[in-house]
Amino acid sequence: MFNPGNEIQDLQFFGEFGGVNPSISDSSTYTFMSAKTMLDTFEGNADGCYLYSRHTSPSNLYLSEALAKMEATEAAHVCGSGMGAITGVLMHLCKIGDHIVSSRTIYGGTYAFLKNFITGFGVNVSFVDITKLESIEKAITESTKVIYLETVSNPLLEVADIAAIAKIAKKHNIQVVVDNTFSPLTISPALLGADIVIHSLTKYINGSSDTVGGVICGKKDFITDLKNVNDGACMLLGSTMDSLRAASILKNLRTLPIRVQKHSENALKLAQMFEADGIKTVYPGLSSHPSHNLFKSMYRSEFGFSGMLTIDAGNLEKANALMELMQQKNVGYLAVSLGFYKTLFSAPGTSTSSEIPMEEQKEMGLTDGLIRFSVGLDHDIERTYQIIKECMTQVGVL
Ligand SMILES: Cc1ncc(COP(=O)(O)O)c(C=O)c1O
């Protein structure tokens, strides 16, 4: 049976000089021994030939191949950032007059792109509650080309029923694009019917908070189209990953399975202890989460419920005081992003989701006291919990 952990284990790349790590391609351009092959490569018919590193490079192909294996898709293409992947896909699939149905609880940058940017190109967007299948179906029009969602949404941790949404989409011949950044290995959207799976590699997959990166996983033809020199969004918009980074992300990918397990184990324990203390806690691994059973129906139990949880500190002042104190006590860092070895915490309403207007934040249940935790790889999470508890008591959250 398919298991992305085994897919990562089974990667076998022989370096140019027999190295256990593939050689890093350190060139922006490539020579051709015959002019005819250059023309064929431009037209996309010369497999194994490289043209120019904005198109692709050997190092980027190694990483792309590894991520396609991980997401059980035919192919993949790495980009310079997660937003580079998201904008590339949506600009490629949607042209003037087209329509996108998007989850309303998504990463703030994606929300801003859909609400303020792509609309300027004549693409219309409807935001829906992705947990309500009937609202998705209702929003679909003749012009809908894409249903866009996050498997586990940032920051509210809403869970999408990917198989059911894919079924609706197939009926209307619509592409389902899923951002799986919060749940790598745990959930495989392509196996549930998603057409395109995106990650911000910046987060869990790289895991060391030292670079930004993104990937688009999908059918071979679609990935080839994205790189088309005449009309491929990835080729023309130019959000290209650097080869040195592709090589370093590939090395970090190898430890993803054990990291995800530890992040999830620690997050579950913290979430259970916070909830037992009477803190309003949202975590898909808690039976109190409205989509706990849905998550379980889609996940691989060995990888758990991911490392992301939220608590409600009551109000912004308390949230800020708690985060500052937790940083002082070395629980982790007051920083955006996720997937680092140390715990990261931020108040999404004033940071990663600040692009979403206040009114809309309220409507979707994004309270200003909400703190998002990316739980780290802490060796002793009980010890961490005790420190957090002291901080909570000191600032009056507990
Ligand atoms: C779920 C999700 N998708 C996409 C992005 C964007 O990725 P990047 O910052 O690598 O462009 C983020 C960034 O926070 C995110 O949380």
Side-chain angles (χ1 to χ4, degrees):
M1 201 163 101
F2 174 83
N3 187 308
N6 292 337
E7 297 297 317
I8 291 172
Q9 170 68 49
D10 291 347
L11 293 171
Q12 188 186 45
F13 299 128
F14 292 102
E16 194 181 355
F17 304 107
V20 293
N21 292 304
S23 308
I24 301 173
S25 47
D26 196 23
S27 294
S28 58
T29 190
Y30 303 83
T31 57
F32 290 86
M33 293 308 159
S34 92
K36 166 82 170 68
T37 322
M38 183 185 259
L39 177 66
D40 289 346
T41 306
F42 256 97
E43 289 173 350
N45 324 315
D47 260 1
C49 285
Y50 297 93
L51 174 69
Y52 183 62
S53 286
R54 176 155 44 80
H55 182 252
T56 193
S57 69
S59 294
N60 288 17
L61 276 191
Y62 283 128
L63 178 61
S64 300
E65 195 183 313
L67 293 167
K69 288 222 160 81
M70 185 192 85
E71 279 299 358
T73 58
E74 288 174 11
H77 177 68
V78 292
C79 302
S81 69
M83 282 310 293
I86 293 163
T87 56
V89 165
L90 295 176
M91 296 288 278
H92 192 87
L93 291 176
C94 300
K95 307 293 174 207
I96 188 163
D98 289 342
H99 176 243
I100 298 171
V101 175
S102 170
S103 165
R104 61 181 188 168
T105 65
I106 47 175
Y107 165 59
T110 313
Y111 182 88
F113 174 75
L114 287 168
K115 179 139 198 203
N116 309 326
F117 196 96
I118 202 166
T119 44
F121 290 83
V123 176
N124 301 307
V125 184
S126 303
F127 292 98
V128 299
D129 179 343
I130 206 72
T131 63
K132 297 206 165 63
L133 295 176
E134 64 282 2
S135 71
I136 301 173
E137 190 127 37
K138 230 165 99 189
I140 291 171
T141 71
E142 296 258 291
S143 319
T144 308
K145 291 286 184 312
V146 167
I147 298 177
Y148 185 88
L149 57 106
E150 294 173 1
T151 312
V152 180
S153 77
N154 182 1
L156 293 179
L157 310 181
E158 288 179 347
V159 180
D161 185 345
I162 298 172
I165 294 168
K167 213 163 143 195
I168 296 172
K170 294 270 164 334
K171 241 179 19 196
H172 298 271
N173 202 19
I174 296 169
Q175 302 274 300
V176 177
V177 180
V178 176
D179 179 336
N180 200 31
T181 300
F182 275 29
S183 44
L185 306 181
T186 307
I187 294 174
S188 298
L191 296 181
L192 297 166
D195 299 286
I196 296 157
V197 184
I198 292 174
H199 282 275
S200 165
L201 300 175
T202 317
K203 313 294 159 46
Y204 285 108
I205 291 177
N206 185 55
S208 52
S209 292
D210 56 0
T211 187
V212 288
V215 70
I216 303 158
C217 304
K219 292 237 155 45
K220 191 167 188 295
D221 286 351
F222 177 68
I223 299 298
T224 305
D225 283 353
L226 284 172
K227 295 189 279 187
N228 188 296
V229 294
N230 291 308
D231 57 9
C234 288
M235 182 65 183
L236 299 177
L237 297 176
S239 172
T240 308
M241 177 174 283
D242 181 71
S243 291
L244 288 168
R245 276 307 183 189
S248 74
I249 296 171
L250 180 62
K251 283 181 266 192
N252 287 356
L253 176 69
R254 297 161 180 166
T255 57
L256 184 65
I258 48 174
R259 284 189 282 115
V260 168
Q261 283 173 340
K262 190 66 174 169
H263 283 299
S264 293
E265 184 191 314
N266 283 349
L268 179 61
K269 284 187 187 155
L270 270 190
Q272 285 169 337
M273 292 188 280
F274 289 158
E275 190 171 58
D277 285 338
I279 303 278
K280 206 170 150 208
T281 309
V282 175
Y283 183 66
L286 295 174
S287 53
S288 58
H289 189 288
S291 301
H292 176 63
N293 288 330
L294 170 62
F295 195 107
K296 274 172 58 176
S297 73
M298 298 193 288
Y299 88 149
R300 270 179 207 93
S301 56
E302 72 210 77
F303 293 115
F305 296 90
S306 108
M308 303 303 294
L309 65 88
T310 68
I311 62 161
D312 195 335
N315 58 50
L316 186 60
E317 290 68 38
K318 279 189 184 173
N320 287 345
L322 179 60
M323 291 190 296
E324 285 170 14
L325 190 59
M326 286 194 297
Q327 178 161 259
Q328 224 176 53
K329 300 282 181 196
N330 201 8
V331 169
Y333 295 119
L334 201 181
V336 298
S337 202
L338 46 132
F340 195 41
Y341 87 105
K342 268 176 111 81
T343 297
L344 303 178
F345 32 84
S346 55
T350 49
S351 60
T352 49
S353 296
S354 57
E355 294 92 339
I356 303 172
M358 266 310 174
E359 266 311 292
E360 286 169 48
Q361 288 194 23
K362 255 198 210 123
E363 211 182 290
M364 58 177 73
L366 211 171
T367 54
D368 58 3
L370 196 83
I371 300 178
R372 186 188 79 178
F373 284 76
S374 161
V375 179
L377 299 171
D378 303 31
H379 176 64
D380 182 352
I381 199 67
E382 180 70 42
R383 170 175 163 264
T384 306
Y385 163 72
Q386 291 302 339
I387 304 171
I388 299 176
K389 196 171 172 185
E390 279 165 32
C391 297
M392 285 178 166
T393 309
Q394 205 171 316
V395 302
V397 170
L398 261 181

